[in-house]
């Protein structure tokens, strides 16, 4: 059995859905197809939700109408026969009626999650109607019946496996299943999600749950590139990555993969392939356990980082100081990405600053606090790069004109991270590309 996940741009146009149909019916292997929302939909739903939260009902209504219009046009091009067109109209009526009803309900976080879930429900239902029109046998699986997260927002792999296995067994003989990425139920049983870009994570969790032979992530680019193609010219696709490399790149900002999408593959040991829906014959990137080479593979960047410096002469020769500092972050459920220490100061970075004020308040008991917002972590990733000769010299020689705020080396064997302020991000990526790859 294999899992094939198609992202927003891959399902975003009716002709793309036709391409997907070809890709998923090429052979007889049993497949679970995981779809994202049509491109732009989750952004639109976020905006609708934001306007509701602010009490701008009129603007929310306008946004709902614009989105509905988009879908009405979409189904005209997607479906040929009147009967299936009417079915699709019925689906749109159901989901847009829901969105119109929420205009009258008071806003809550739970309602926000309900709103965000509409995108994947719509894309998979429309795709299912399209497959029916094309007479392709399949079963539509509701992700909300098997994809669950616990109180800490961690996926419950064992429960997912049990529920999904039952659903598949109830549909014995079915070769094709279509389900939603991104959406899930939380510990309270409410609709929730796996965070932006979460369909990749859904796909790898599903692959883990069914012991899939491979998890294919189909997107709009032919695999992981060696640098961010939106910022750097002439980036190149990477044919092979090991799990450690892919996990570091995903975690440190390579948008092509959700940050958490690699650990299920690593833990349950199945390969992940990154492939291009628009260029299906391209080799893409194969991600698997063994590495094929050592040295620098790629550079990625993670934005919206806050750097915190705690300066204290009390730290001099004191033990237990770091524990006290880290306990503050634990208390506020805030994870730390980078840490550097000197004898009298500790600098660290966080990517979630929702509890920053409380954290600062508690840290002030230990010393003087300095905060730098809008920082970017730039990571240089490759298997065993920490052993690569002259690498640090190359990195620093490339960056003579960039004010570097922090450096982290040796924490992971596969990653060197530097922190720069966001305004220097583009230049940093470009200079490193030149220094390391050209
Ligand atoms: P999908 O909607 O299919 O999930 P995403 O937009 O989430 O697609 O991810 C694909 C995009 O990631 C590419 O179009 C590309 O612009 C961006 N991207 C950023 N960094 C990289 C990288 N290192 N390699 C490939 N793509 C990258
Ligand atoms: N639709 C969701 C998003 O845009 C999930 C995904 O596409 O992976 O974030
Ligand atoms: Mg994505």
């Amino acid at each position: 059995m294999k899992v094939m996940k198609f992202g927003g741009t891959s399902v975003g146009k009716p002709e793309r859905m036709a391409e997907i149909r070809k890709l998923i019916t090429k052979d007889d292997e049993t497949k679970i197809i995981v779809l994202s929302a049509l491109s732009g939909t989750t952004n639109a739903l976020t905006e609708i939700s934001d306007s509701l939260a602010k009490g701008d009902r009129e603007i929310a209504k306008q946004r709902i109408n614009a989105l509905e219009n988009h879908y009405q046009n979409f189904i005209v091009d997607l479906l040929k026969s009147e009967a299936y067109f009417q079915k699709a109209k019925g689906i749109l009526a159901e989901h847009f009626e829901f969105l119109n009803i929420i205009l009258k309900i008071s806003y809550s976080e739970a309602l926000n999650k309900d709103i965000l879930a509409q995108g994947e429900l719509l894309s998979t239902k429309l795709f299912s109607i399209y497959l029916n029109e094309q007479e392709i046998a399949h079963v539509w699986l509701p992700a909300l019946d098997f994809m669950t997260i616990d109180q800490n927002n961690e996926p419950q792999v064992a429960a997912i496996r049990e529920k999904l296995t039952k659903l598949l067994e109830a549909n014995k003989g079915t070769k094709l299943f279509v389900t939603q990425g991104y959406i899930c139920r939380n510990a309270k049983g409410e609709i929730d999600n796996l965070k932006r870009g979460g369909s990749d994570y859904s796909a790898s969790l599903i692959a883990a749950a069914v012991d899939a032979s491979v998890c294919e992530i189909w997107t709009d680019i032919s695999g992981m590139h060696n640098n961010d193609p939106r910022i750097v010219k002439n980036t190149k696709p990477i044919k092979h990555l090991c799990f450690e490399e892919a996990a570091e790149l995903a975690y440190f900002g390579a948008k092509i993969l959700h940050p958490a999408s690699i650990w299920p593959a690593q833990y349950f040991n199945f390969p992940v392939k990154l492939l291009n829906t628009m260029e299906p014959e391209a080799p893409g990137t194969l991600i698997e356990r063994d590495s094929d080479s050592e040295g620098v593979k790629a550079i990625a960047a993670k934005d919206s980082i806050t750097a915190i410096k705690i300066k204290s002469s009390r730290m001099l020769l004191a033990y237990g100081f770091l524990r006290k500092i880290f306990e503050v972050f634990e208390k506020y459920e805030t994870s730390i990405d980078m840490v550097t220490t000197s004898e009298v100061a500790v600098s660290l970075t966080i990517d979630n600053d929702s509890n920053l004020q409380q954290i600062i308040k508690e840290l002030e008991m230990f010393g003087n606090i300095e905060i730098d917002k809008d920082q970017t972590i730039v990571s240089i990733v490759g298997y065993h790069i920490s052993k690569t000769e002259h690498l640090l010299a190359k990195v620093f020689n490339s960056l003579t004109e960039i004010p570097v705020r922090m450096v982290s080396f040796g924490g992971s064997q596969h990653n060197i991270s530097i922190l720069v302020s966001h305004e220097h991000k583009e230049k940093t990526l470009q200079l490193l590309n030149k220094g390391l790859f050209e």
Side-chain angles (χ1 to χ4, degrees):
M1 179 161 357
K2 76 176 182 181
V3 173
M4 298 172 84
K5 174 260 172 177
F6 294 89
T9 31
S10 302
V11 290
K13 294 201 171 125
E15 60 270 27
R16 298 264 155 77
M17 286 201 173
E19 288 300 319
I20 297 180
R21 187 205 76 219
K22 284 186 213 152
L23 290 170
I24 64 176
T25 50
K26 263 196 175 147
D27 58 53
D28 232 16
E29 190 173 359
T30 303
K31 300 179 187 77
I32 302 184
I33 313 303
V34 180
L35 300 186
S36 291
L38 311 196
S39 52
T41 297
T42 310
N43 285 346
L45 293 168
T46 305
E47 285 169 7
I48 290 166
S49 198
D50 287 350
S51 358
L52 267 186
K54 283 192 231 140
D56 290 337
R57 272 159 218 277
E58 200 38 54
I59 294 177
K61 175 72 189 144
Q62 281 166 18
R63 288 184 161 142
I64 293 168
N65 290 348
L67 191 63
E68 179 164 11
N69 218 356
H70 179 73
Y71 277 84
Q72 295 291 358
N73 292 330
F74 189 91
I75 61 168
V76 171
D77 293 333
L78 181 70
L79 301 157
K80 309 266 167 315
S81 73
E82 184 59 23
Y84 286 102
F85 179 70
Q86 287 307 330
K87 280 191 184 159
K89 267 198 138 5
I91 295 295
L92 296 191
E94 181 192 320
H95 288 272
F96 283 94
E97 186 181 299
F98 167 77
L99 287 174
N100 280 302
I101 287 171
I102 54 137
L103 285 173
K104 298 175 191 123
I105 304 176
S106 55
Y107 179 84
S108 66
E109 200 37 50
L111 186 66
N112 172 41
K113 303 281 173 62
D114 285 347
I115 296 171
L116 294 179
Q118 302 308 306
E120 272 68 13
L121 292 169
L122 276 166
S123 66
T124 52
K125 286 184 186 177
L126 295 179
F127 186 61
S128 176
I129 292 175
Y130 170 69
L131 289 182
N132 282 334
E133 186 181 59
Q134 299 289 316
E135 298 181 338
I136 295 167
H138 69 284
V139 165
W140 184 89
L141 283 180
L144 298 175
D145 285 358
F146 64 84
M147 189 59 77
T148 51
I149 52 175
D150 64 18
Q151 313 84 284
N152 302 315
N153 296 328
E154 292 296 334
Q156 299 174 299
V157 183
I160 296 168
R161 179 186 284 262
E162 196 187 313
K163 288 181 181 143
L164 188 52
T165 307
K166 273 196 192 134
L167 282 170
L168 298 185
E169 270 168 11
N171 291 288
K172 263 213 167 82
T174 301
K175 288 279 178 191
L176 211 53
F177 296 89
V178 175
T179 192
Q180 306 80 53
Y182 182 57
I183 61 175
C184 62
R185 280 194 194 277
N186 62 25
K188 293 186 221 155
E190 299 162 342
I191 294 179
D192 210 318
N193 62 61
L194 301 174
K195 310 262 162 61
R196 293 306 305 267
S199 298
D200 303 331
Y201 198 15
S202 304
S204 78
L205 289 167
I206 291 170
V210 302
D211 298 318
S213 58
V214 60
C215 176
E216 295 180 352
I217 309 273
W218 290 81
T219 180
D220 60 357
I221 189 165
S222 299
M224 177 76 79
H225 278 219
N226 60 357
N227 208 328
D228 192 327
R230 296 164 300 178
I231 295 173
V232 177
K233 280 191 204 125
N234 301 324
T235 58
K236 295 187 181 63
I238 305 168
K239 287 223 168 64
H240 187 279
L241 289 170
C242 65
F243 290 136
E244 284 85 359
E245 293 169 322
E248 298 266 9
L249 287 168
Y251 185 72
F252 285 107
K255 189 191 172 226
I256 187 170
L257 278 176
H258 179 280
S261 55
I262 292 299
W263 78 257
Q266 189 163 16
Y267 192 83
F268 294 93
N269 196 23
F270 55 84
V272 176
K273 283 185 185 166
L274 307 180
L275 296 160
N276 189 349
T277 317
M278 268 68 86
E279 210 189 319
E281 302 309 326
T285 303
L286 170 65
I287 303 167
E288 57 183 359
R289 190 179 55 199
D290 297 325
S291 78
D292 67 338
S293 62
E294 295 192 352
V296 180
K297 281 274 178 68
I299 301 166
K302 186 173 173 184
D303 293 324
S304 304
I305 301 293
T306 300
I308 303 172
K309 187 191 273 177
I310 305 122
K311 241 170 130 178
S312 164
S313 49
R314 275 165 53 201
M315 191 177 161
L316 205 66
L317 302 177
Y319 52 83
F321 191 79
L322 284 178
R323 178 178 54 78
K324 288 179 199 145
I325 289 175
F326 288 157
E327 272 172 0
V328 175
F329 290 87
E330 189 183 347
K331 180 171 169 192
Y332 291 102
E333 296 177 354
T334 300
S335 69
I336 297 169
D337 281 331
M338 285 175 76
V339 188
T340 57
T341 70
S342 79
E343 199 53 68
V344 289
V346 183
S347 273
L348 42 82
T349 70
I350 57 174
D351 67 356
N352 168 8
D353 64 1
S354 47
N355 292 317
L356 185 62
Q357 285 322 313
Q358 292 103 303
I359 290 173
I360 294 174
K361 217 168 158 205
E362 297 214 14
L363 290 177
E364 273 167 349
M365 292 193 288
F366 304 116
N368 214 358
I369 312 298
E370 279 171 35
I371 303 291
D372 289 315
K373 289 205 164 197
D374 284 327
Q375 305 287 301
T376 295
I377 297 177
V378 175
S379 293
I380 302 144
V381 173
Y383 193 70
H384 282 168
I385 52 166
S386 58
K387 292 188 200 153
T388 309
E389 268 184 42
H390 312 303
L391 182 64
L392 283 181
K394 273 192 197 166
V395 169
F396 291 125
N397 287 337
S398 309
L399 299 179
T400 46
E401 47 187 290
I402 304 286
V404 173
R405 167 78 172 73
M406 277 169 76
V407 179
S408 175
F409 174 75
S412 152
Q413 292 185 62
H414 319 300
N415 173 327
I416 298 171
S417 290
I418 55 179
L419 188 74
V420 296
S421 89
H422 184 259
E423 62 187 295
H424 296 117
K425 168 186 170 178
E426 286 196 9
K427 193 87 198 154
T428 303
L429 289 179
Q430 285 155 355
L431 288 171
L432 282 173
N433 210 66
K434 219 166 157 194
L436 298 177
F437 298 131
E438 284 171 19

